[in-house]
Amino acid sequence: MPIETSTSENGLGSIIDCSDVVVGDELIDALSQNFNRQAEFRRHRYLILDFSAVTRMNLKEETTDTIVNLCAAAVRTNPDLLVAVVAYFSMAVSIDVINRMKGLYELFQHRSDWESLVFRTRPEAVRWIRKRSAEKFS
């Protein structure tokens, strides 16, 4: 399965792992499932979106619009969420994947009001999440 969602640290965070070919509807579904469990989502301090194993992304313009709307609604439920995007790709990945990831990151960075950063590796993302969580939620 190209997208798997899990919770971590007793429900304080959520991780969405993407691999192979990511289709817009699957990404929307994963985000919707995460955001729509409002009681659980309200407790989350962070979201890690790991795209490092993605080889291709099939996203339409409507996909971006839907994700923008999902994030706008989710911000009202949890305005303090930290978002770490893991997006390091090998040279074999097409420029289209890189451009689509750039667009998704800009969406989280500029349209969601969540504090977010892009990382090359999951360990870097986890270190940032732990540091910022301690500062923000201590």
Side-chain angles (χ1 to χ4, degrees):
M1 186 165 176
I3 298 179
E4 293 183 19
T5 303
S6 60
T7 57
S8 62
E9 298 184 55
N10 295 321
L12 292 180
S14 183
I15 300 169
I16 298 177
D17 279 303
C18 302
S19 61
D20 301 322
V21 178
V22 173
V23 178
D25 291 341
E26 294 169 339
L27 183 57
I28 289 168
D29 186 49
L31 290 169
S32 293
Q33 288 178 17
N34 193 4
F35 297 159
N36 289 337
R37 294 183 298 230
Q38 289 190 357
E40 182 180 324
F41 180 65
R42 195 172 283 118
R43 292 185 52 227
H44 285 181
R45 294 181 178 175
Y46 64 88
L47 169 64
I48 296 175
L49 295 161
D50 192 337
F51 293 98
S52 60
V54 170
T55 57
R56 197 170 82 218
M57 296 181 88
N58 292 335
L59 304 178
K60 299 175 185 169
E61 189 68 34
E62 303 85 47
T63 302
T64 304
D65 294 338
T66 302
I67 292 173
V68 166
N69 292 332
L70 282 171
C71 290
V75 164
R76 290 190 292 273
T77 301
N78 188 345
D80 297 319
L81 190 71
L82 300 168
V83 178
V85 178
V86 181
Y88 178 74
F89 302 109
S90 71
M91 294 301 286
V93 171
S94 74
I95 193 72
D96 183 57
V97 171
I98 295 167
N99 287 336
R100 292 191 185 276
M101 276 307 309
K102 181 181 177 226
L104 280 176
Y105 174 68
E106 288 173 353
L107 183 152
F108 279 101
Q109 181 69 26
H110 301 293
R111 297 190 197 175
S112 70
D113 293 331
W114 286 321
E115 182 178 352
S116 60
L117 282 176
V118 174
F119 299 89
R120 292 172 56 116
T121 66
R122 172 89 63 93
E124 289 174 310
V126 169
R127 279 192 298 275
W128 177 74
I129 290 288
R130 287 190 177 140
K131 180 178 185 262
R132 284 299 296 134
S133 290
E135 294 168 354
K136 193 171 186 173
F137 302 110
S138 64

